[in-house]
Amino acid sequence: MRGTWVKRVVVAVVFGVSVVASAPSAAAAAGLATGAATAAGERIVLVGIPGLMWSDVTPADTPNLWRLAGESALGSLSVRAVRKDTCPYDAWLTVSAGVRSAVGGACGMAPTPEADGEGAVVPEFSWLWEVREQDDAGTLGQALHAAGRTTMAVGPGAALALADREGRVDLYAPSPAEVTQWSRGDVVAVEIPDLVAPYVSGDRLSEVPELLSADARRAAARAADAKLGSFLPRLGSATVLVAGLSDHGSVPHLRTAMLRGPGSGPGSGTGSGPGTGAAGTLGARSTHRDDMVIVPDLTATILARAGVAAPPAVVGVPVDTHPTGGNLDERVEALRTADVAGQTIRDATGVFFTTLAVLQVVFYITAFLLLRRRDGLPAVRAAAVALASIPVSTYLVNLTPWARAAQPAVTLFVSIAAIAVALTVAALAGPWRRGVLGPLTVIAAVTAAVLLGDLLTGTPLQLNSLMGYTGVVGARYYGLGNIPFALLATAVLLVTTAAADRLVRAGRKALAVALVAALGAFAMLLDGWPGVGSDFGGVIAFVPGIAVTALIVAGRRVSIVKLGAFCAAGGVLVMAIAYLDYLRPPASQTHLGRFVGQVADGTFLPVISRKLGAMLSTLLSPNLMPVVLAAFAFLVFALLRPGAASAGVLPIAFERAPMLRAGLLGALVSGLVGMLVNDSGAAVLSMALALAVPLVLSAGIRALQHGEPVPAAGYPGTPPSPAAA
């Protein structure tokens, strides 16, 4: 699924042509596939064990789960629904709807259904869409009944998941012990609440991270495992899908997901004992991860395995299985480590950004005082480069096994600091150190190369990164996040203008403009391409940044009218990309294509409203706004009062490297527009400033340190600037 970078480049080149040409045939193929699936129609059993994590699954405490894991494809389940923590009610409702859902208000266990013959009815089921606006509730059960499938639910949560639009399931039992014949249901859902029940008081999930002691939690896991073992042998050849489904407290975790059945990996269904197991992982196109799925994927998987076409409301996709190496112990340990990494990142993000904000503010104040006296210039320059090295270090650290350390948080921060120091030394000690733009070019080039390489290899570095995202939080699982976009746009524009500066000095201005446009367009397309960057707002913000930079390099004026036209062009371009994505089969679409569908059916306003609210909330962030205010104040004062603020550092940088101004202004434009069109808001601008301003300042200090002509780009043989000569 991650693929190779070659494959991704090829896909990016041919996508626009192939998607239009293949749309009708893809739809026909989807129809044939559905027909084949309907004929095959497996029996599938969803076993929901809310709260189950991979750390709960051990040979000693949960032998039935361990044995089943040895016969299954394994993955992590991101249970994020709407709230930061997902209660059992919301989780089962999400399975029912096929889209992230929440009941609102108090949230605990699912309601107890009322008996109706052999089946049952969820009481006042219509209340979910009439009062709580959960319009998609009942999607799964309705589709199964429309296709003639018999539904069997065991437990209240299972009944909620399989209920049709009238709230009804065909067969119902309160517990597995009361089921006499498991083969009567074509689609079966079973709720095993033993692990989560101790965390629910009344109708509310616990508001503390961990309510039970370690011994009490192990006892609850053993009880759930025993209940699974009581009926698992009676399921025969049915496909079994086990899911941890919900959180068990106020802190979200990655949960357990396993699939035993046809296509679940080499060796599946063979009865492999503990420690061997089927070498398969469980992933989905929804996450673009080989080992991670989301709750709506369970809905899509049930429908696909039952041979029923998924309704348009279902946003999940059927899970995929992938062969992998390692025995069962190693595979389970890798999934446990994934949760540790996600937890560490979630817990450390606030500390990291607070520390970064403090470092930025202290740096600008200190730089202001020292530059006024022209004192300590080498130290200020080194600090500026080090500060700019921190962002890319947060991605490079994922090349190390920090999450497996005894103290992962400490190891994470120490490793980031060590990488930042190494990059700073490389930038200041290499042969490029003599150039005004040498260290700037090195740090910006490394940042751009790391992020572009990460995009082309499935973003393994952004996942579980302090400046990326994590499946524990569940806001994004793949592609380019908003903060990485700000860093990528800034780095690309600074690198291209550093190269353009050399070309302009050599009298090749047209080539310099073409270089800025071409490299910027390449990065922008990767940023927005479905399945690669999949970044909607980033394209809108990147286009004006590239255009402004290219115009300034060309010696043209930039007006408000032109800037508005560039922003509009970015909007048109991203909608064109999204429309091409929309033409693909629904199971292959990203959120870009689904947004076009929401525009077409008029349901896009809640999405816009939610993102606008999220953007506005960041404007008062204590971690982000100090970076924005400090950097902007220093930048504006240094440009308007160069003598008082920075001893002329920035003006002399622009004099020695005239194109540097173009890169800085282009990055600021992308940052400002990105702040307005992305739900991360101020985070976009603050990160653009956090990278650009220290690097530009370091260039100015280098120019100030040497009055004699110096190479502009830091390469041997670069001619001095005309002004210096």
Side-chain angles (χ1 to χ4, degrees):
M1 185 175 299
R2 292 185 174 90
T4 63
W5 68 270
V6 175
K7 178 181 177 182
R8 289 179 176 272
V9 171
V10 172
V11 169
V13 172
V14 304
F15 179 81
V17 176
S18 64
V19 72
V20 176
S22 65
S25 59
L32 291 174
T34 300
T38 303
E42 305 168 21
R43 285 184 60 246
I44 180 166
V45 180
L46 169 64
V47 181
I49 310 178
L52 182 67
M53 300 187 298
W54 280 112
S55 57
D56 297 315
V57 181
T58 65
D61 292 328
T62 58
N64 296 299
L65 280 167
W66 188 262
R67 188 175 303 108
L68 182 62
E71 303 168 354
S72 305
L74 311 180
S76 296
L77 175 65
S78 174
V79 298
R80 173 68 180 268
V82 175
R83 305 185 239 213
K84 69 178 181 66
D85 53 352
T86 301
C87 69
Y89 197 137
D90 287 355
W92 288 112
L93 182 60
T94 298
V95 175
S96 170
V99 64
R100 288 178 172 180
S101 305
V103 67
C107 181
M109 306 297 285
T112 302
E114 300 171 350
D116 181 20
E118 290 188 294
V121 176
V122 178
E124 300 181 353
F125 194 70
S126 61
W127 169 82
L128 287 170
W129 59 82
E130 291 173 352
V131 178
R132 291 303 187 184
E133 299 181 344
Q134 300 303 306
D135 297 335
D136 298 313
T139 295
L140 174 59
Q142 191 68 27
L144 292 172
H145 277 166
R149 301 298 188 268
T150 301
T151 56
M152 174 188 287
V154 182
L160 176 62
L162 294 185
D164 61 16
R165 290 288 286 183
E166 295 181 355
R168 189 176 187 280
V169 293
D170 299 320
L171 303 168
Y172 179 73
S175 69
E178 299 177 60
V179 179
T180 58
Q181 192 173 355
W182 289 90
S183 61
R184 294 182 64 193
D186 299 319
V187 176
V188 182
V190 184
E191 178 182 33
I192 300 180
D194 300 73
L195 195 53
V196 78
Y199 297 91
V200 178
S201 176
D203 57 358
R204 291 186 181 276
L205 193 65
S206 172
E207 296 182 359
V208 298
E210 184 53 65
L211 187 63
L212 301 184
S213 66
D215 289 341
R217 183 166 179 87
R218 281 195 297 271
R222 285 194 294 269
D225 182 74
K227 192 168 289 185
L228 173 68
S230 69
F231 67 86
L232 188 60
R234 301 167 61 191
L235 298 180
S237 60
T239 296
V240 178
L241 183 59
V242 175
L245 272 188
S246 81
D247 289 311
H248 66 268
S250 60
V251 175
H253 286 265
L254 292 177
R255 304 289 166 173
T256 301
M258 60 178 83
L259 175 68
R260 185 189 73 181
S264 61
S268 63
T270 61
S272 303
T276 56
T281 59
L282 195 65
R285 291 191 302 278
S286 57
T287 64
H288 285 232
R289 302 288 169 189
D290 292 350
D291 57 359
M292 188 182 298
V293 300
I294 59 177
V295 176
D297 294 336
L298 306 180
T299 309
T301 302
I302 291 170
L303 290 167
R305 294 277 175 158
V308 178
V314 176
V315 301
V317 298
V319 297
D320 300 318
T321 59
H322 307 270
T324 187
N327 59 31
L328 180 57
D329 301 272
E330 293 170 340
R331 294 161 60 210
V332 171
E333 183 59 31
L335 294 169
R336 291 170 181 160
T337 302
D339 183 50
V340 170
Q343 285 298 314
T344 304
I345 293 298
R346 180 184 180 276
D347 295 340
T349 297
V351 175
F352 170 76
F353 279 102
T354 298
T355 303
L356 185 63
V358 170
L359 289 175
Q360 290 266 332
V361 172
V362 170
F363 168 74
Y364 289 121
I365 293 175
T366 304
F368 171 80
L369 296 176
L370 292 177
L371 289 173
R372 289 187 64 184
R373 302 182 323 199
R374 293 202 177 189
D375 189 19
L377 295 184
V380 175
R381 185 185 184 217
V385 174
L387 205 57
S389 301
I390 292 176
V392 70
S393 301
T394 65
Y395 305 115
L396 290 173
V397 74
N398 278 345
L399 296 174
T400 70
W402 63 266
R404 297 182 181 273
Q407 294 181 298
V410 174
T411 305
L412 173 66
F413 283 113
V414 170
S415 300
I416 289 173
I419 294 171
V421 169
L423 289 174
T424 302
V425 171
L428 294 174
W432 42 76
R433 67 186 183 277
R434 298 184 180 88
V436 171
L437 299 183
L440 175 149
T441 304
V442 170
I443 300 302
V446 170
T447 302
V450 166
L451 288 172
L452 289 174
D454 193 45
L455 283 177
L456 291 170
T457 54
T459 60
L461 300 183
Q462 287 182 68
L463 182 67
N464 294 330
S465 166
L466 289 168
M467 286 191 166
Y469 40 78
T470 171
V472 169
V473 175
R476 177 185 275 269
Y477 301 94
Y478 67 95
L480 196 70
N482 292 332
I483 288 177
F485 155 73
L487 297 172
L488 176 64
T490 301
V492 167
L493 293 175
L494 290 178
V495 167
T496 55
T497 50
D501 195 74
R502 295 184 65 192
L503 293 172
V504 170
R505 291 170 183 278
R508 308 178 71 179
K509 180 180 289 188
L511 183 58
V513 174
L515 177 68
V516 171
L519 293 182
F522 173 73
M524 179 267 297
L525 287 174
L526 287 183
D527 170 32
W529 211 255
V532 184
S534 301
D535 185 14
F536 194 95
V539 175
I540 301 175
F542 214 153
V543 169
I546 297 168
V548 166
T549 302
L551 279 180
I552 296 175
V553 170
R556 305 289 182 86
R557 294 184 58 186
V558 179
S559 65
I560 296 296
V561 174
K562 289 180 181 178
L563 187 59
F566 297 147
C567 293
V572 171
L573 179 60
V574 75
M575 284 303 296
I577 294 173
Y579 182 71
L580 291 175
D581 189 31
Y582 174 70
L583 293 178
R584 297 196 293 176
S588 300
Q589 292 176 11
T590 68
H591 64 279
L592 300 179
R594 289 195 293 271
F595 179 72
V596 174
Q598 291 171 324
V599 171
D601 61 24
T603 61
F604 68 97
L605 288 178
V607 177
I608 299 297
S609 176
R610 184 174 67 252
K611 289 185 176 292
L612 179 61
M615 183 274 289
L616 293 175
S617 69
T618 66
L619 297 181
L620 299 177
S621 169
N623 291 330
L624 300 174
M625 289 315 296
V627 178
V628 175
L629 296 176
F632 251 126
F634 184 89
L635 187 63
V636 172
F637 196 37
L639 291 174
L640 297 181
R641 299 286 301 277
S646 62
V649 167
L650 296 187
I652 197 172
F654 296 147
E655 178 185 350
R656 294 295 182 88
M659 298 302 105
L660 181 59
R661 185 192 299 270
L664 177 62
L665 292 178
L668 292 180
V669 166
S670 283
L672 282 168
V673 177
M675 181 181 72
L676 298 175
V677 300
N678 282 297
D679 52 6
S680 294
V684 178
L685 179 58
S686 65
M687 291 304 105
L689 290 168
L691 179 62
V693 177
L695 287 180
V696 173
L697 185 61
S698 71
I701 292 174
R702 172 59 186 168
L704 188 64
Q705 285 177 308
H706 299 274
E708 72 279 9
V710 294
Y715 297 98
T718 304
S721 68

